Amino acid sequence: MDNQTDVRGGGFVEQEVLRAFKFALDPTPAQAAALARHAGAARWAFNYALGVKVAAHQQWRAEVDGLVAQGVEEAEARRRVKVPVPSKPQIQKRLNEVKGDSRADGRLPEGTFGPERPCPWWHEVNTHTFQSAFIDADRAWKNWLDSLRGVRAGRKVGYPRFKKKSRSRDSFRLHHDVKRPSIRLATYRRLRLPTIGEVRLHDSGKRLGRLVDRGLAVVQSVTVSRAGHRWYASVLCKITMTVPEQPSRRQLERGTVGVDLGVKTLAALSQPLNPNDPGSVLIANPRHLARAQQRLTKAQRALSRTEKGSRRRDRARRKVARLHHEVAVRRESVLHAVTKRLATGFAVVAVEDLHVAGMTASARGTVEAPGRQVRQKASLNRAVLDAAPGEFRRQLTYKTSWYGSKLAVCDRWFPSSKTCSACGWQNPRLTLADRTFTCPDCGLTIDRDLNAARNIARHAVVADAPPVAPGKGETQNARRAPVRPDDRKAARHGATKREDARPPSQVSPQRSNPLASPPTQTQATLF
């Protein structure tokens, strides 16, 4: 492909990126049983590795407590006691020494709390199932430690938990030698998985197959998971992508679009999505969960009336899972369609820096201070999560880098709905019930969401660097919020963007600058 072209408005560059191709599978009954067997082996291997780590941690804790009981200071006791936590190589080596073999024994060894020699069925599944589970256990342990020390961005990560069959998702990951690939497309409709064989695809793998044939894609691994009534294979590839260096002429002509995400409408745009359709400034919210609520209520009621452990309960459970999966697929499809049109149609896409976790927090409160309107807040939380604003921004983040556009982010504390998009006048008494914004200074009367979208387009800033600094010196987490708020106000509200969090103020409307940024992060204490 030419590096210079007049149609796209600029040159192209080649980049090596990791990209996943997701396929729905149509396995035979024997293959479905093999997939479930591999998922169960991955769950067992994760629990085995985590159990070894927990045992080492408990031994360290017991020795520290023993020294403290003898009069040693806690800090000094922690410094003296050294109990290494085994990682993947040590765990895998130990398991190879003690594991049994049902082919030699002919039966499972007996034991009080399970087989004396674990996993005698190891030869029935691929070895990478165990190795990838050990890697996941190492990552879970490291995430907890990093979060405890305050060097990990984002919300706090708790102590790693064991995976329960009824709670964890059926999933496993397989790797291979890229020079002698065993994970490959046998045909455009069949994917070969090691140990399992060729599994028929519900979709077509022609796009991936052509990239591999041209030498533009190399398969790295495959993650097989079950969602609802279907098995899915996510093939991770290292591909060579040709991406534009700058926006195309059509994108430059459209310029910047502000996107105000909401519940009444999925998104309000500062300019029409389709230039020939003025009504496309508002993207309707499909409300997938609300449409399926009646069927879900009926299925969940039937599930609650079944006996635990019965086959009828298992059938009812599968029906509920299938309905939830169908809702998720519809939601994902709509979001992909909208985000691609935004990324390919405009030079800059501006969004708000929303804190979705804070917006959807429960209003239940505590026993001493119970919350108010808990049921109404729970209904609002469901509506916000059904619109999936976090997934909307995640898709825009990588799609804008694919199609030559840029993503701009408006400050979380900027009052986009309360500010006039024409003159900048602010109305601090605007409530969520006011759906129309009226400016007494310039006389502008406009829909509340459209006004916010125009303000977002005007005040958003394109970030050339990631919002979180790498290494231990970062001052904000991945949600651009302090880990430990410095003041009481921040401790109550965190990083939640709410423009109607307080009762109406008695001050008169006035012009003002955007709200100040939240306080910087304080250093987290390691317990």
Side-chain angles (χ1 to χ4, degrees), residues 225-273:
S225 59
R226 177 156 53 185
H229 62 293
R230 284 200 175 278
W231 285 95
Y232 290 90
S234 180
V235 184
L236 182 65
C237 301
K238 181 182 291 185
I239 66 173
T240 303
M241 290 185 60
T242 303
V243 297
E245 291 182 316
Q246 58 184 9
S248 64
R249 285 184 180 178
R250 183 170 61 89
Q251 290 174 318
L252 292 174
E253 290 175 357
R254 299 301 306 277
T256 302
V257 59
V259 182
D260 180 64
L261 303 177
V263 174
K264 182 180 179 182
T265 58
L266 180 63
L269 310 180
S270 59
Q271 55 177 308
L273 186 63

Side-chain angles (χ1 to χ4, degrees), residues 35-241:
L35 296 176
R37 191 181 308 118
H38 278 71
R43 181 174 58 251
W44 180 91
F46 179 89
N47 291 337
Y48 177 83
L50 183 58
V52 174
K53 296 176 183 296
V54 170
H57 181 245
Q58 291 176 348
Q59 179 184 350
W60 174 84
R61 184 71 261 178
E63 294 183 9
V64 170
D65 291 342
L67 291 177
V68 172
Q70 297 175 7
V72 181
E73 294 291 336
E74 175 80 13
E76 178 65 19
R78 287 172 175 263
R79 189 183 64 82
R80 289 186 187 179
V81 178
K82 301 294 182 182
V83 179
V85 177
S87 59
K88 174 186 176 295
Q90 293 83 24
I91 296 173
Q92 185 174 348
K93 182 179 180 180
R94 177 59 179 168
L95 181 61
N96 291 336
E97 294 175 354
V98 302
K99 67 183 180 183
D101 194 336
S102 59
R103 296 172 296 182
D105 301 337
R107 61 183 178 82
L108 295 179
E110 297 180 357
T112 305
F113 299 102
E116 296 178 359
R117 287 188 173 272
C119 64
W121 36 261
W122 60 269
H123 55 86
E124 299 178 5
V125 298
N126 191 278
T127 181
H128 291 287
T129 303
F130 292 89
Q131 297 180 21
S132 59
F134 294 158
I135 294 174
D136 293 342
D138 285 354
R139 185 181 296 113
W141 194 262
K142 183 178 183 300
N143 290 343
W144 168 65
L145 289 177
D146 290 346
S147 179
L148 196 64
R149 298 188 184 103
V151 298
R152 175 183 168 85
R155 66 178 63 185
K156 184 178 180 180
V157 177
Y159 196 80
R161 297 188 302 175
F162 292 96
K163 290 186 177 182
K164 189 177 180 181
K165 184 177 181 180
S166 59
R167 184 183 61 198
S168 63
R169 185 181 186 184
D170 288 338
S171 175
F172 63 93
R173 187 169 68 254
L174 300 178
H175 298 264
H176 70 157
D177 185 0
V178 295
K179 297 181 179 179
R180 294 180 296 175
S182 56
I183 304 173
R184 62 180 183 272
L185 286 172
T187 64
Y188 288 158
R189 296 304 295 267
R190 288 191 175 275
L191 176 65
R192 187 187 184 282
L193 301 176
T195 310
I196 298 172
E198 296 180 4
V199 184
R200 190 177 185 275
L201 300 180
H202 187 74
D203 314 309
S204 174
K206 182 180 293 187
R207 186 178 182 185
L208 174 60
R210 288 180 174 177
L211 290 174
V212 173
D213 294 340
R214 296 170 184 169
L216 300 178
V218 178
V219 177
Q220 303 292 313
S221 64
V222 59
T223 301
V224 181
S225 59
R226 177 156 53 185
H229 62 293
R230 284 200 175 278
W231 285 95
Y232 290 90
S234 180
V235 184
L236 182 65
C237 301
K238 181 182 291 185
I239 66 173
T240 303
M241 290 185 60

Side-chain angles (χ1 to χ4, degrees), residues 185-487:
L185 286 172
T187 64
Y188 288 158
R189 296 304 295 267
R190 288 191 175 275
L191 176 65
R192 187 187 184 282
L193 301 176
T195 310
I196 298 172
E198 296 180 4
V199 184
R200 190 177 185 275
L201 300 180
H202 187 74
D203 314 309
S204 174
K206 182 180 293 187
R207 186 178 182 185
L208 174 60
R210 288 180 174 177
L211 290 174
V212 173
D213 294 340
R214 296 170 184 169
L216 300 178
V218 178
V219 177
Q220 303 292 313
S221 64
V222 59
T223 301
V224 181
S225 59
R226 177 156 53 185
H229 62 293
R230 284 200 175 278
W231 285 95
Y232 290 90
S234 180
V235 184
L236 182 65
C237 301
K238 181 182 291 185
I239 66 173
T240 303
M241 290 185 60
T242 303
V243 297
E245 291 182 316
Q246 58 184 9
S248 64
R249 285 184 180 178
R250 183 170 61 89
Q251 290 174 318
L252 292 174
E253 290 175 357
R254 299 301 306 277
T256 302
V257 59
V259 182
D260 180 64
L261 303 177
V263 174
K264 182 180 179 182
T265 58
L266 180 63
L269 310 180
S270 59
Q271 55 177 308
L273 186 63
N274 183 0
N276 299 324
D277 181 14
S280 59
V281 291
L282 296 178
I283 301 176
N285 187 359
R287 300 182 183 271
H288 305 285
L289 185 61
R291 291 186 177 184
Q293 192 61 53
Q294 185 175 0
R295 291 188 299 160
L296 276 171
T297 301
K298 184 177 180 181
Q300 290 168 339
R301 185 183 296 120
L303 174 63
S304 66
R305 293 174 177 173
T306 56
E307 184 179 353
K308 291 185 177 181
S310 64
R311 287 185 293 180
R312 180 175 293 178
R313 184 179 183 87
D314 187 58
R315 289 197 300 268
R317 178 192 60 79
R318 290 199 302 266
K319 184 175 181 180
V320 173
R322 179 168 184 162
L323 290 174
H324 277 292
H325 176 61
E326 290 175 353
V327 171
V329 170
R330 295 191 188 102
R331 181 186 301 117
E332 183 181 10
S333 177
V334 170
L335 292 180
H336 275 297
V338 174
T339 53
K340 183 174 181 180
R341 291 195 63 181
L342 289 172
T344 57
F346 299 91
V348 178
V349 182
V351 295
E352 279 185 296
D353 186 18
L354 297 177
H355 177 32
V356 182
M359 294 168 57
T360 56
S362 174
R364 186 179 304 150
T366 61
V367 176
E368 295 79 10
R372 295 180 301 173
Q373 298 182 341
V374 178
R375 184 171 299 179
Q376 292 85 343
K377 182 60 166 61
S379 178
L380 176 62
N381 292 349
R382 284 193 298 269
V384 172
L385 293 175
D386 188 31
E391 177 66 12
F392 195 99
R393 177 175 172 179
R394 187 193 72 85
Q395 292 184 11
L396 280 177
T397 301
Y398 71 84
K399 289 182 181 181
T400 49
S401 65
W402 285 358
Y403 301 115
S405 52
K406 293 185 178 180
L407 180 67
V409 180
C410 186
D411 184 74
R412 176 174 295 175
W413 306 99
F414 177 73
S416 57
S417 297
K418 297 182 177 182
T419 304
C420 177
S421 57
C423 65
W425 177 85
Q426 289 188 9
N427 181 9
R429 292 198 294 263
L430 189 72
T431 64
L432 294 177
D434 300 327
R435 304 312 306 172
T436 302
F437 182 89
T438 302
C439 179
D441 276 15
C442 63
L444 176 67
T445 301
I446 189 175
D447 182 83
R448 171 198 183 101
D449 298 332
L450 293 179
N451 178 68
R454 294 182 181 181
N455 283 322
I456 293 170
R458 180 175 300 176
H459 294 88
V461 178
V462 177
D464 296 329
V468 180
K472 299 182 180 180
E474 61 187 6
T475 58
Q476 292 179 335
N477 60 21
R479 295 171 287 123
R480 301 178 64 86
V483 172
R484 294 181 181 271
D486 293 333
D487 56 3

